[in-house]
Amino acid sequence: MLKLPGLIDPHVHVREPGQIHKEDWDTATQAALAGGFTMILAMPNTKPPIFDNSTFDAAISAAREKAHCDYAQFVGAGPDNAEIAPSLAHKAAGLKMYLDSTFGELRLDDMTLWMPHFEKYPKQYPIVVHAESRSMAAAILFAAIYDRPIHIAHVSLKEEILLIKAAKERGIKVTCEVCPHHLFLSEGGIPLSPTPSSLQGIREKGKGGRSEVRPRLAAQEDVDALWQNLDVIDCFATDHAPHTLEEKDSETPPPGFPGLETALPLLLTAVDDGRLTVDDIVQKMYTNPRKIFHLPDQPETWIEVDENAEYEIKAENQFTRCGWTPFEGWKVKGRVIRVVLRGRDAFKDGKVLAEKGFGKNVRE
Ligand code: NCD
Ligand code: ZN
C-alpha cells in the first residue's frame, strides 16, 4: 500500500453554474475523491462565466452546498473586468485568462485587453493562461515585461515546453502544467474499444468526434518532448472538461475530456513502466501546485493506493456525470483505496463517504 498526500488538481471544469447536465459540484468533487484528489481549483468558463461578484458568489454558494472535497474558484479575465477581478483576488484560486480558442465565452483576442489584467491583478496571486504556441510566447513576454508570475495551462507542444525551459533558465517567473491526455494520447486519436455501434466504421482521429480537445492532441514528437522534459513540467493537471457522450458524438462535438478519475492510475502505470517516479507524482500533484497557488495545508489528509491492483478503466465505474472516458478499456495498475480528508474517511473501497458540503473553500 502506497501512502501519498491528498492530490491537488489545479485545473477542473465543474460546469456549475449553468451546465449541470454535464457535471456539477456534487459529481465533480466525488470524481475528484475517487481519483485521489482532495483539493480542486475550478475554472471560470461556466454559464455564465465567473467574472464579477455575483457570478463568483453563485459558484461559491453551489460549491458550499455540494462539494465533497476542498476547492477554490478561479475568476475569469474578461474584456471589461480588469478593475473588479483584483477585488476578488483574495477569495479566488487565481485569475484565468483565455488567450486562445476555447469552450465558452471568455476569450481575450486583443493584447490591449491583456494589459490591464497584467497591470492590476495582485502579483502575489497567480495568473493562469490558456495560451498555445505563439500566444504562449507572447504571454511569457508579458510575464517578463510586467515582472509577475504566470502559470501556463495544459502545455502540449514541443516548441512550448522548450520555450518554457528557456524562459525559466532566464529567470522569468513562469510555471506550467501538462495533462495526462497529452502524455498518453497523440493525434492518432482515441483508440476506441469497443467501438459503439453508432460509430462503427468511423475511426476516431485526433480531430473531431470524441478526440476534440483544446489544446488538440499533438504529434508523437510533441508527446515525446513532454516526456523528455519532465523536469520542466511543474504540475500534472487533468483539465477535467466533461461533456456528455451525446454531445461528443454529435455533429459539433465540444472540446474536452473528463480526467479526474484516470489521471493517477495512468501516471502510476507509467511509474510501473519506469517512465516516471512516485516522487515525480508527489512533486507535480501536491508540492508544486501548493507552492504555485499558495494553497494551505490540509491537516490529517492523505490517500492510500494499491500499487499492484490491475484493472481496466471503465466509464461505468466513474463518478463523473459525463458518462465516458477517452481511456475506456485501458489496462492500468494502481487503484485509490482510501482517501482521508481532514481526519475523515472521505472515500473508501469505491464509495464516497464525505457528504455533500463537507468540502471547504480553501480561500475562506
Ligand atoms: C475546456 C472546456 O470544455 O471547458 N475544453 C478543453 O478542451 N480543454 C475548455 C478549455 O480548457 O479550454
Ligand atoms: Zn480547461
Side-chain angles (χ1 to χ4, degrees), residues 11 13 15 45 98 102-103 130 154 213-214 239 241 243 255-256:
H11 195 145
H13 298 272
R15 305 298 191 209
N45 66 335
Y98 289 91
T102 181
F103 176 77
H130 176 151
H154 39 51
V213 65
R214 294 294 174 278
D239 191 10
H243 300 283

Side-chain angles (χ1 to χ4, degrees), residues 45-99:
N45 66 335
T46 46
K47 245 186 165 147
I50 310 306
F51 67 99
D52 63 5
N53 273 296
S54 69
T55 48
F56 192 86
D57 289 347
I60 288 301
S61 65
R64 189 178 295 129
E65 187 198 325
K66 296 184 181 175
H68 298 258
C69 74
D70 292 352
Y71 59 88
Q73 171 68 52
F74 278 97
V75 59
D80 27 57
N81 71 339
E83 303 287 338
I84 298 163
S87 70
L88 293 166
H90 64 287
K91 316 196 252 187
L95 180 73
K96 177 72 187 285
M97 299 182 75
Y98 289 91
L99 311 180

